[in-house]
Amino acid sequence: EAVADVAALSSTPTLVWVHDYFTICPNFNLLRNDVQFCGAPPVDSTACGVCVYGAERAAGRPRIEAFFEATRPIVLAPSEAALSLWLSNAGLPYQASAVQPLARTVLAPEPSPHRAQQNRPLRIAHLGARIASKGWLAFERLALRFAGDSRYHFFQLGVPGPGVTTGAVRNVPVRVTSEAPEAMIEAVAEHRIDAVVSWSTWPETFCYAAHEAIAGGAFLLTHPGAGNVPALVAGSASGQGLILPDEDALHALLDRNGLGPMLSTGGRRGVLIKEGGTAAWLLRSAEWPRFYREMAAARAKAAVEA
């Protein structure tokens, strides 16, 4: 309500970012009971009724609808995957939509020489904190399954936390800060990580960790339900990743040594170039001047008539 009041004072269009799915549900990852992706069912559905967020979602929905009715915003998202999901499930009024990526990965034309090493265990990592929604539990199960297998070593690059205590996973402390924005990319390269498992349990709207894995030269393993991550593998990172249907397929890949041949030529290093957010979209958008003129004219007319 407060934001709507502020928007009413402005003659410029309102912009709403889909950095997550809070405008669809208070559980911004759309995880039913914090466990499984729900698909954003109708508010009055049985599926929503059995979720711990169901009542809060039903209570908050009229307020979200009122905000969108009042502002009729331009909806921006950091990826096509995020915008597509929002447009299909939000059911909210808006005047336009657009994609503004937060960053883009530019890869070197040739593989990094040290990647194509032979006769050493493959180094497989999870990037970031040990959070279930970010795929930690799937990675933990993988590490425990192959803990005694001499073909693989498992790493977690990020802040230490609860999880595997058997020594199956080696933690490498990494903190990305304003002073060290490329710390994760550098850690992937420094520790010669061969593959990164990006197994988020919800449709990621962007996922910096996946981009950092690719820029660090690692091969990305993911699944179809991870949002922008499989889109990255199928698009700009084509050839440097694999989309697997489920965890069984991930385990089977390692069991049959299917990952090794994919890494034989080494991975390409790259850089992650920040694309900016709202300001970057305003600068490149040909639509903005039109929206500005039309809305300013409409509000000026309404003020005169009042």
Side-chain angles (χ1 to χ4, degrees), residues 121-148:
L122 295 180
R123 299 181 176 189
I124 303 173
H126 169 89
L127 303 190
R130 300 182 176 190
I131 299 174
S133 63
K134 290 293 186 178
W136 169 253
L137 296 181
F139 180 79
E140 186 178 57
R141 287 189 287 267
L142 185 71
L144 289 173
R145 163 79 185 279
F146 293 95

Short mmCIF file of all heavy atoms in Angstrom, two decimals, residues 121-148:
data_model
loop_
_atom_site.label_atom_id
_atom_site.label_comp_id
_atom_site.label_asym_id
_atom_site.label_seq_id
_atom_site.Cartn_x
_atom_site.Cartn_y
_atom_site.Cartn_z
N PRO A 121 41.49 -37.76 -10.06
CA PRO A 121 40.05 -37.77 -9.78
C PRO A 121 39.38 -36.50 -10.30
O PRO A 121 39.96 -35.41 -10.25
CB PRO A 121 40.00 -37.82 -8.25
CG PRO A 121 41.33 -38.37 -7.84
CD PRO A 121 42.31 -37.86 -8.85
N LEU A 122 38.17 -36.65 -10.81
CA LEU A 122 37.41 -35.48 -11.23
C LEU A 122 36.93 -34.72 -10.00
O LEU A 122 36.49 -35.32 -9.02
CB LEU A 122 36.20 -35.91 -12.08
CG LEU A 122 36.50 -36.57 -13.42
CD1 LEU A 122 35.21 -36.95 -14.13
CD2 LEU A 122 37.35 -35.67 -14.29
N ARG A 123 37.01 -33.41 -10.08
CA ARG A 123 36.62 -32.55 -8.97
C ARG A 123 35.22 -31.98 -9.23
O ARG A 123 35.03 -31.21 -10.17
CB ARG A 123 37.65 -31.44 -8.78
CG ARG A 123 39.03 -31.99 -8.46
CD ARG A 123 40.05 -30.89 -8.27
NE ARG A 123 41.34 -31.45 -7.87
CZ ARG A 123 42.37 -30.73 -7.45
NH1 ARG A 123 42.26 -29.40 -7.39
NH2 ARG A 123 43.49 -31.32 -7.11
N ILE A 124 34.29 -32.37 -8.39
CA ILE A 124 32.88 -32.01 -8.56
C ILE A 124 32.46 -31.15 -7.38
O ILE A 124 32.75 -31.49 -6.23
CB ILE A 124 32.00 -33.27 -8.65
CG1 ILE A 124 32.49 -34.16 -9.81
CG2 ILE A 124 30.54 -32.90 -8.86
CD1 ILE A 124 31.80 -35.50 -9.88
N ALA A 125 31.79 -30.04 -7.65
CA ALA A 125 31.53 -29.07 -6.59
C ALA A 125 30.08 -28.59 -6.55
O ALA A 125 29.35 -28.64 -7.55
CB ALA A 125 32.46 -27.86 -6.74
N HIS A 126 29.73 -28.12 -5.37
CA HIS A 126 28.51 -27.33 -5.13
C HIS A 126 28.97 -25.92 -4.82
O HIS A 126 29.84 -25.72 -3.97
CB HIS A 126 27.72 -27.91 -3.95
CG HIS A 126 26.61 -27.03 -3.47
ND1 HIS A 126 25.34 -27.08 -3.98
CD2 HIS A 126 26.59 -26.06 -2.49
CE1 HIS A 126 24.57 -26.20 -3.36
NE2 HIS A 126 25.31 -25.57 -2.46
N LEU A 127 28.39 -24.93 -5.49
CA LEU A 127 28.77 -23.54 -5.26
C LEU A 127 27.74 -22.86 -4.37
O LEU A 127 26.54 -22.94 -4.60
CB LEU A 127 28.89 -22.77 -6.58
CG LEU A 127 29.84 -23.31 -7.64
CD1 LEU A 127 30.01 -22.29 -8.76
CD2 LEU A 127 31.18 -23.72 -7.06
N GLY A 128 28.23 -22.17 -3.34
CA GLY A 128 27.35 -21.43 -2.46
C GLY A 128 27.07 -22.16 -1.16
O GLY A 128 27.71 -23.16 -0.82
N ALA A 129 26.11 -21.63 -0.43
CA ALA A 129 25.78 -22.17 0.89
C ALA A 129 25.10 -23.53 0.79
O ALA A 129 24.60 -23.93 -0.27
CB ALA A 129 24.89 -21.18 1.64
N ARG A 130 25.06 -24.20 1.93
CA ARG A 130 24.43 -25.53 1.99
C ARG A 130 22.93 -25.36 2.24
O ARG A 130 22.43 -25.62 3.33
CB ARG A 130 25.10 -26.37 3.08
CG ARG A 130 26.60 -26.57 2.84
CD ARG A 130 27.24 -27.44 3.90
NE ARG A 130 28.66 -27.69 3.59
CZ ARG A 130 29.42 -28.56 4.23
NH1 ARG A 130 28.92 -29.26 5.24
NH2 ARG A 130 30.69 -28.73 3.88
N ILE A 131 22.24 -24.92 1.21
CA ILE A 131 20.81 -24.63 1.29
C ILE A 131 20.05 -25.63 0.42
O ILE A 131 20.41 -25.85 -0.74
CB ILE A 131 20.53 -23.20 0.82
CG1 ILE A 131 21.27 -22.19 1.72
CG2 ILE A 131 19.03 -22.91 0.81
CD1 ILE A 131 21.17 -20.76 1.23
N ALA A 132 19.00 -26.20 0.98
CA ALA A 132 18.24 -27.23 0.27
C ALA A 132 17.69 -26.73 -1.06
O ALA A 132 17.76 -27.42 -2.07
CB ALA A 132 17.11 -27.75 1.15
N SER A 133 17.12 -25.51 -1.06
CA SER A 133 16.51 -24.99 -2.28
C SER A 133 17.54 -24.74 -3.38
O SER A 133 17.19 -24.65 -4.56
CB SER A 133 15.74 -23.70 -1.99
OG SER A 133 16.62 -22.68 -1.53
N LYS A 134 18.82 -24.62 -3.00
CA LYS A 134 19.90 -24.43 -3.96
C LYS A 134 20.52 -25.75 -4.41
O LYS A 134 21.53 -25.76 -5.11
CB LYS A 134 20.98 -23.52 -3.37
CG LYS A 134 20.54 -22.06 -3.23
CD LYS A 134 20.33 -21.40 -4.58
CE LYS A 134 20.05 -19.92 -4.45
NZ LYS A 134 19.87 -19.27 -5.78
N GLY A 135 19.92 -26.87 -3.99
CA GLY A 135 20.38 -28.17 -4.47
C GLY A 135 21.39 -28.87 -3.59
O GLY A 135 21.96 -29.88 -3.99
N TRP A 136 21.60 -28.35 -2.35
CA TRP A 136 22.61 -28.96 -1.50
C TRP A 136 22.30 -30.42 -1.18
O TRP A 136 23.19 -31.28 -1.18
CB TRP A 136 22.79 -28.18 -0.20
CG TRP A 136 23.63 -28.95 0.79
CD1 TRP A 136 23.21 -29.57 1.93
CD2 TRP A 136 25.03 -29.22 0.69
NE1 TRP A 136 24.25 -30.21 2.55
CE2 TRP A 136 25.38 -30.01 1.81
CE3 TRP A 136 26.02 -28.88 -0.23
CZ2 TRP A 136 26.68 -30.45 2.03
CZ3 TRP A 136 27.32 -29.32 -0.02
CH2 TRP A 136 27.65 -30.10 1.10
N LEU A 137 21.05 -30.76 -0.88
CA LEU A 137 20.71 -32.12 -0.48
C LEU A 137 20.98 -33.11 -1.62
O LEU A 137 21.46 -34.23 -1.37
CB LEU A 137 19.26 -32.20 -0.04
CG LEU A 137 18.91 -31.40 1.22
CD1 LEU A 137 17.45 -31.57 1.59
CD2 LEU A 137 19.80 -31.79 2.39
N ALA A 138 20.69 -32.72 -2.84
CA ALA A 138 20.98 -33.58 -3.98
C ALA A 138 22.48 -33.79 -4.12
O ALA A 138 22.95 -34.90 -4.40
CB ALA A 138 20.40 -32.99 -5.26
N PHE A 139 23.24 -32.71 -3.93
CA PHE A 139 24.70 -32.82 -4.01
C PHE A 139 25.24 -33.69 -2.88
O PHE A 139 26.14 -34.51 -3.07
CB PHE A 139 25.34 -31.43 -3.95
CG PHE A 139 26.83 -31.45 -4.03
CD1 PHE A 139 27.48 -31.61 -5.25
CD2 PHE A 139 27.61 -31.32 -2.88
CE1 PHE A 139 28.86 -31.64 -5.33
CE2 PHE A 139 28.99 -31.34 -2.95
CZ PHE A 139 29.63 -31.51 -4.17
N GLU A 140 24.68 -33.53 -1.69
CA GLU A 140 25.10 -34.32 -0.54
C GLU A 140 24.86 -35.81 -0.78
O GLU A 140 25.71 -36.66 -0.49
CB GLU A 140 24.36 -33.86 0.70
CG GLU A 140 24.82 -34.52 1.99
CD GLU A 140 24.05 -33.96 3.19
OE1 GLU A 140 22.80 -34.03 3.19
OE2 GLU A 140 24.71 -33.47 4.12
N ARG A 141 23.70 -36.13 -1.34
CA ARG A 141 23.41 -37.54 -1.65
C ARG A 141 24.40 -38.09 -2.67
O ARG A 141 24.83 -39.24 -2.57
CB ARG A 141 21.97 -37.67 -2.16
CG ARG A 141 20.91 -37.52 -1.08
CD ARG A 141 19.53 -37.87 -1.59
NE ARG A 141 18.99 -36.87 -2.48
CZ ARG A 141 18.22 -35.85 -2.09
NH1 ARG A 141 17.93 -35.69 -0.81
NH2 ARG A 141 17.74 -34.99 -2.96
N LEU A 142 24.74 -37.26 -3.65
CA LEU A 142 25.71 -37.69 -4.66
C LEU A 142 27.08 -37.94 -4.04
O LEU A 142 27.73 -38.96 -4.31
CB LEU A 142 25.81 -36.62 -5.75
CG LEU A 142 26.70 -36.95 -6.96
CD1 LEU A 142 26.04 -38.01 -7.83
CD2 LEU A 142 26.97 -35.69 -7.77
N ALA A 143 27.51 -37.02 -3.18
CA ALA A 143 28.82 -37.14 -2.55
C ALA A 143 28.89 -38.37 -1.65
O ALA A 143 29.91 -39.08 -1.62
CB ALA A 143 29.14 -35.87 -1.76
N LEU A 144 27.83 -38.62 -0.91
CA LEU A 144 27.81 -39.79 -0.03
C LEU A 144 27.80 -41.09 -0.83
O LEU A 144 28.42 -42.07 -0.44
CB LEU A 144 26.60 -39.71 0.90
CG LEU A 144 26.67 -38.65 1.99
CD1 LEU A 144 25.35 -38.56 2.74
CD2 LEU A 144 27.80 -38.94 2.96
N ARG A 145 27.09 -41.08 -1.94
CA ARG A 145 27.02 -42.29 -2.79
C ARG A 145 28.40 -42.64 -3.33
O ARG A 145 28.77 -43.82 -3.41
CB ARG A 145 26.03 -42.03 -3.93
CG ARG A 145 26.15 -42.98 -5.11
CD ARG A 145 25.49 -44.33 -4.89
NE ARG A 145 25.74 -45.22 -6.00
CZ ARG A 145 25.07 -45.21 -7.16
NH1 ARG A 145 24.08 -44.34 -7.34
NH2 ARG A 145 25.36 -46.08 -8.11
N PHE A 146 29.19 -41.63 -3.72
CA PHE A 146 30.48 -41.89 -4.35
C PHE A 146 31.67 -41.50 -3.46
O PHE A 146 32.77 -41.28 -3.95
CB PHE A 146 30.56 -41.14 -5.68
CG PHE A 146 29.61 -41.65 -6.72
CD1 PHE A 146 28.37 -41.06 -6.90
CD2 PHE A 146 29.95 -42.74 -7.51
CE1 PHE A 146 27.47 -41.54 -7.85
CE2 PHE A 146 29.07 -43.24 -8.47
CZ PHE A 146 27.83 -42.63 -8.64
N ALA A 147 31.42 -41.44 -2.16
CA ALA A 147 32.46 -41.00 -1.23
C ALA A 147 33.71 -41.89 -1.28
O ALA A 147 34.83 -41.40 -1.13
CB ALA A 147 31.91 -40.97 0.19
N GLY A 148 33.55 -43.16 -1.49
CA GLY A 148 34.70 -44.05 -1.51
C GLY A 148 35.22 -44.35 -2.90
O GLY A 148 36.08 -45.22 -3.08
#
